[in-house]
Amino acid sequence: QVHVVESGGGLVQPGGSLRLSCAASGSAFTIKAMGWYRQAPGKERELVASISIGGPNYADSVKGRFTISLDNGKNMGNLQMLSLEPEDTAVYYCNVIAAIASGPNVRYWGRGTQVTVSS
């Protein structure tokens, strides 16, 4: 199995920045794609950003402010968040699509990291 862990969440003021990291661990796996989701209390989980062979893409609400990256050599990705707004407050989840030993592509989820934007 592939274990996914997010880090870098915390409290930041409006207009501030934060960088989230997603680390994947296991044996003989290859990451095919990575995505970041977020969920606020009482709301549905939404896709914020993703990256694959087709390149990166972003939700309209974060375009121009967030940047997603992936380093397959380190099995780690990042989400750089700039100009944060209170509406960005949520638990952020990393989703990794990976194949183990030439097996099928499978989705793996992290447990999430809290991001709070408040003055």
Side-chain angles (χ1 to χ4, degrees):
Q1 291 73 27
V2 178
H3 185 55
V4 178
V5 179
E6 306 94 336
S7 62
L11 175 64
V12 65
Q13 294 185 323
S17 63
L18 207 60
R19 184 175 67 255
L20 305 183
S21 296
C22 177
S25 61
S27 299
F29 71 95
T30 301
I31 297 178
K32 305 295 185 177
M34 177 178 288
W36 285 93
Y37 293 73
R38 68 185 181 188
Q39 186 168 29
K43 294 186 176 181
E44 297 289 327
R45 184 174 299 186
E46 64 174 345
L47 178 63
V48 176
S50 64
I51 186 169
S52 66
I53 190 172
N57 62 81
Y58 304 90
D60 289 340
S61 60
V62 306
K63 285 182 178 178
R65 299 190 298 121
F66 290 12
T67 302
I68 187 172
S69 61
L70 174 63
D71 186 341
N72 272 316
K74 297 181 178 180
N75 289 322
M76 176 176 290
N78 295 103
L79 182 67
Q80 179 67 54
M81 306 185 294
L82 306 178
S83 301
L84 285 164
E85 307 165 353
E87 292 74 21
D88 295 317
T89 296
V91 176
Y92 284 70
Y93 299 89
C94 180
N95 177 217
V96 172
I97 297 176
I100 301 177
S102 72
N105 294 336
V106 178
R107 190 195 307 273
Y108 300 93
W109 289 94
R111 288 299 185 91
T113 184
Q114 177 72 49
V115 172
T116 302
V117 184
S118 176
S119 59

